[in-house]
Short mmCIF file of all heavy atoms in Angstrom, two decimals:
data_model
loop_
_atom_site.label_atom_id
_atom_site.label_comp_id
_atom_site.label_asym_id
_atom_site.label_seq_id
_atom_site.Cartn_x
_atom_site.Cartn_y
_atom_site.Cartn_z
N GLU K 731 216.47 220.07 124.73
CA GLU K 731 215.78 220.67 123.59
C GLU K 731 216.02 222.17 123.54
O GLU K 731 216.26 222.74 122.47
CB GLU K 731 214.28 220.38 123.67
CG GLU K 731 213.91 218.93 123.37
CD GLU K 731 212.44 218.65 123.62
OE1 GLU K 731 211.83 219.34 124.46
OE2 GLU K 731 211.91 217.74 122.98
N THR K 732 215.96 222.81 124.70
CA THR K 732 216.20 224.24 124.75
C THR K 732 217.62 224.57 124.31
O THR K 732 217.85 225.50 123.52
CB THR K 732 215.97 224.77 126.18
OG1 THR K 732 214.64 224.47 126.57
CG2 THR K 732 216.21 226.27 126.26
N GLN K 733 218.59 223.82 124.80
CA GLN K 733 219.98 224.07 124.42
C GLN K 733 220.19 223.90 122.92
O GLN K 733 220.89 224.69 122.28
CB GLN K 733 220.90 223.12 125.17
CG GLN K 733 221.01 223.46 126.66
CD GLN K 733 221.71 222.35 127.44
OE1 GLN K 733 221.70 221.20 127.03
NE2 GLN K 733 222.29 222.71 128.57
N ARG K 734 219.55 222.87 122.35
CA ARG K 734 219.70 222.64 120.92
C ARG K 734 219.09 223.78 120.11
O ARG K 734 219.66 224.23 119.12
CB ARG K 734 219.05 221.31 120.54
CG ARG K 734 219.87 220.09 120.94
CD ARG K 734 219.12 218.81 120.68
NE ARG K 734 219.95 217.65 120.99
CZ ARG K 734 219.48 216.42 121.12
NH1 ARG K 734 218.19 216.17 120.95
NH2 ARG K 734 220.30 215.41 121.39
N GLU K 735 217.93 224.26 120.54
CA GLU K 735 217.28 225.35 119.82
C GLU K 735 218.10 226.63 119.92
O GLU K 735 218.24 227.38 118.95
CB GLU K 735 215.87 225.57 120.36
CG GLU K 735 214.89 224.46 119.97
CD GLU K 735 213.47 224.78 120.37
OE1 GLU K 735 213.28 225.67 121.24
OE2 GLU K 735 212.56 224.17 119.81
N ILE K 736 218.65 226.87 121.09
CA ILE K 736 219.47 228.06 121.28
C ILE K 736 220.71 228.00 120.39
O ILE K 736 221.08 228.96 119.72
CB ILE K 736 219.87 228.21 122.77
CG1 ILE K 736 218.64 228.57 123.60
CG2 ILE K 736 220.95 229.26 122.94
CD1 ILE K 736 218.89 228.52 125.09
N THR K 737 221.36 226.82 120.38
CA THR K 737 222.55 226.66 119.55
C THR K 737 222.22 226.83 118.08
O THR K 737 222.97 227.48 117.33
CB THR K 737 223.17 225.26 119.79
OG1 THR K 737 223.48 225.13 121.18
CG2 THR K 737 224.44 225.08 118.98
N THR K 738 221.08 226.29 117.63
CA THR K 738 220.67 226.43 116.23
C THR K 738 220.43 227.89 115.88
O THR K 738 220.88 228.39 114.83
CB THR K 738 219.40 225.61 115.96
OG1 THR K 738 219.65 224.24 116.25
CG2 THR K 738 218.96 225.74 114.51
N ALA K 739 219.74 228.61 116.76
CA ALA K 739 219.48 230.03 116.51
C ALA K 739 220.78 230.83 116.49
O ALA K 739 220.96 231.73 115.66
CB ALA K 739 218.54 230.57 117.58
N TRP K 740 221.69 230.47 117.39
CA TRP K 740 222.97 231.18 117.44
C TRP K 740 223.79 230.94 116.18
O TRP K 740 224.39 231.83 115.62
CB TRP K 740 223.73 230.73 118.68
CG TRP K 740 225.06 231.39 118.83
CD1 TRP K 740 225.33 232.60 119.38
CD2 TRP K 740 226.30 230.86 118.40
NE1 TRP K 740 226.66 232.85 119.31
CE2 TRP K 740 227.29 231.81 118.71
CE3 TRP K 740 226.69 229.69 117.77
CZ2 TRP K 740 228.63 231.61 118.42
CZ3 TRP K 740 228.02 229.49 117.47
CH2 TRP K 740 228.97 230.45 117.80
N LYS K 741 223.77 229.66 115.69
CA LYS K 741 224.48 229.35 114.44
C LYS K 741 223.93 230.19 113.29
O LYS K 741 224.68 230.71 112.48
CB LYS K 741 224.32 227.87 114.11
CG LYS K 741 225.19 226.92 114.89
CD LYS K 741 224.94 225.51 114.39
CE LYS K 741 225.75 224.51 115.19
NZ LYS K 741 225.48 223.13 114.76
N LYS K 742 222.60 230.29 113.23
CA LYS K 742 221.98 231.06 112.16
C LYS K 742 222.41 232.51 112.23
O LYS K 742 222.71 233.16 111.22
CB LYS K 742 220.46 230.94 112.25
CG LYS K 742 219.72 231.64 111.11
CD LYS K 742 218.21 231.42 111.23
CE LYS K 742 217.49 232.04 110.03
NZ LYS K 742 217.74 233.49 109.91
N PHE K 743 222.47 233.04 113.45
CA PHE K 743 222.90 234.43 113.62
C PHE K 743 224.33 234.63 113.12
O PHE K 743 224.63 235.59 112.40
CB PHE K 743 222.81 234.83 115.10
CG PHE K 743 223.45 236.17 115.40
CD1 PHE K 743 222.77 237.35 115.13
CD2 PHE K 743 224.74 236.24 115.92
CE1 PHE K 743 223.38 238.57 115.39
CE2 PHE K 743 225.34 237.44 116.17
CZ PHE K 743 224.66 238.63 115.92
N VAL K 744 225.22 233.69 113.47
CA VAL K 744 226.62 233.80 113.05
C VAL K 744 226.74 233.71 111.53
O VAL K 744 227.46 234.47 110.90
CB VAL K 744 227.48 232.71 113.73
CG1 VAL K 744 228.89 232.72 113.17
CG2 VAL K 744 227.52 232.94 115.23
N MET K 745 226.01 232.76 110.93
CA MET K 745 226.07 232.60 109.48
C MET K 745 225.54 233.84 108.77
O MET K 745 226.10 234.29 107.78
CB MET K 745 225.29 231.36 109.06
CG MET K 745 225.88 230.04 109.55
SD MET K 745 227.63 229.83 109.13
CE MET K 745 227.52 229.79 107.34
#
Side-chain angles (χ1 to χ4, degrees):
E731 288 173 333
T732 302
Q733 289 169 335
R734 284 174 176 165
E735 288 187 341
I736 290 171
T737 302
T738 300
W740 180 84
K741 282 182 183 178
K742 184 177 184 301
F743 170 80
V744 173
M745 294 307 296

